[in-house]
Amino acid sequence: MTIDFRAEVDKRKDDLMEDLFGLLRINSERDDSKVDEQHPFGPGPVKALEHFLALAKRDGYKTRNIDNYAGDFEFGQGDEVLGIFAHLDVVPAGSGWDTDPYEPVIKDGKLYARGSSDDKGPTMACYYALKIIKELNLPVSKRVRFIVGTDEESGWDDMAYYFAHNGLKDPDFGFSPDAEFPIINGEKGNITAYLHFEGQNDGAFSLVSFNGGLRENMVPESASAGFTGPITLQELEAKLANFAADQGVTGQVTEEAGAFHVTIHGKSVHGMMPQKGINGATYLALFLSQFDFQGNAQAYLNVIAETLHKDFFGEKVGLAYTDPKMGELTMNAGVFHFNKESEDNTIALNFRYPQGVDVDGIKAGLEKLEGPKEVTLSEHGHVPHYVPVSDPMVQTLLSVYEKHTGLKGEEQIIGGGTFGRLLKRGVAYGAMFPGYVNTMHQADEFTEVEDLYRAAAIYAEAIYELIK
C-alpha cells in the first residue's frame, strides 16, 4: 500500500492550523502563585490540557485526564505500545515581542506565538499525523499512546505524577516531537545548583535588591538592581551609557526616594546553549562591580561579575569537561534573587553535563567558590541518556526522515532535555529541520509554517512504519 502522507497533510492544513491557533491562544505558563489542588501548576497549563483533550475527544479518542497533571489517549491494538510524549506548557513570554505572544500571527510564512516551536506546534503536527492514520483506517499491530504533559519547562512533576498514577504499563519505546530532525538519540544530564548568600550589607554603596531571569533553563533577558550610594543620577547615567556602548547592551537608570534602580537588557536563549545569549544579569553585576559595595553584596556581585560572567562551560569554576561523544558541559546562570533583608539570596546555575560528569562533583566544585555560604542541588535532575543508533526504532525514524528530505539521517546529542528520555528506548524526533532559526525560549518565537506541514507528513509515515 502506497500512501502519499504529504498529500494527506495538505488536505488537512486549514484544520491543523485552526486547532493549533486555538491552543496557542492559551497562556499555559506555570504560575506558582495560583497553584491549588485542582491546578498543580496554575490555571494556564490545565486550560491547555483540557483544550487539547477536547480536540482528541472530538476526533473519537477515549481520553484521560490524570488529575490535571497530564493526559493521554490510545489508538490501535496490540501488546506493544509506542509512546508519543509532548508538552503543552510554555516558558514565560518575557518582553521584547513585536507581536502579542498569545495571539498567533503568520507573517512571511512564519507563525509567531509562544509555543509555536516549543512545543505546541510540533505537538499539533504529530497529533494530525496520528489523525491521518486513524482516518485512513490503516492496519496496525501495535498501540500508540499519545501523552501530553504540563510541566516540561519546569520540574517535570507532571510526568513523575503520570507514571505513578496512570495505571497502565509504560510504553515499550517512543519519541517526543520536541527538538529537531533528523533525531536526538542522546541528551546530556541536567541539574541545577543554587548558590546561597546572606543579604545584609554595609558600605559606601548598599545593594537593596538584585533580580534577573524567569526560568533556570533560559538565559536572563534582563535584570534589575536597587541600591543607594554617594553618586548623582547624572553621574550614573553617564557611566551606564559608557558601559552599554562598550559592552553592546542597553539599559536605563532611575532614582526614586533616594535609591537608584538600574536595569540592563540582554538577549534570552535556551539555557542549553548560554553562549548564544546575552545574560542581562551578569552584565548588570559587571556594571555594579565598579562601585564600593561591601560584605554580602560585594560577595554576591563578585561571584557573578568575576566568575560567572561569560563562563558558559564551567571553566572558571573548575568544572569544564568534554566527552568525545556527548560534547562539553555547559553552565547557564539562569535566575538571580537578592534582597537586603533576606538571609537566603540565591543564584541558580543550570548545568547540562555529558557522561563522565557526576552531580556530586559539580556541587564539590562550586563549594570551593569564595562568597556563597552554602551550595545545594535541585531535587529534580536527569542523568545522561543515550539510545544506540543501531536500535530498530532509531533506524526506522532516520529512514523515514531521509525519504522525505533527501538528507542524510545521523545521530545527534544535545544539551536540552526532552520527554524522549523518559523511556529507556526513547528519543526526540523533530520538528525543527537542519538550518532552522532557533527561537525557543526567546522573544518573537516562531516556526516555519511549511516546516510544520513537512513534519506532520514525516510523523505520519514514521508512526505508521513503527506500528503497522
Side-chain angles (χ1 to χ4, degrees), residues 157-180:
D157 287 336
D158 54 346
M159 287 297 104
Y161 191 92
Y162 176 82
F163 279 100
H165 295 87
N166 80 83
L168 301 174
K169 82 177 186 74
D170 295 348
D172 299 281
F173 59 105
F175 69 86
S176 175
D178 188 23
E180 58 191 58

Side-chain angles (χ1 to χ4, degrees), residues 91 110-119 122 153 178-181 184 217 267-277 352 412 414-418 430-448 451:
V91 298
K110 298 178 175 64
L111 171 57
Y112 291 87
R114 177 56 92 216
S116 57
S117 64
D118 183 17
D119 183 39
E153 298 292 3
D178 188 23
E180 58 191 58
F181 291 117
I184 303 296
N217 60 353
K267 177 186 176 183
S268 181
V269 298
H270 197 296
M272 71 176 176
M273 47 186 177
Q275 69 276 20
K276 295 188 177 182
R352 309 298 172 108
Q412 293 187 103
I414 62 168
T418 76
M432 303 298 105
F433 289 88
Y436 77 100
V437 178
N438 188 346
T439 55
M440 294 181 182
H441 296 200
Q442 300 179 38
D444 292 332
E445 176 185 348
F446 72 84
T447 188
E448 298 279 354
D451 281 354

Side-chain angles (χ1 to χ4, degrees), residues 99-110:
T99 62
D100 183 337
Y102 293 108
E103 184 51 52
V105 60
I106 296 176
K107 297 190 300 182
D108 300 323
K110 298 178 175 64

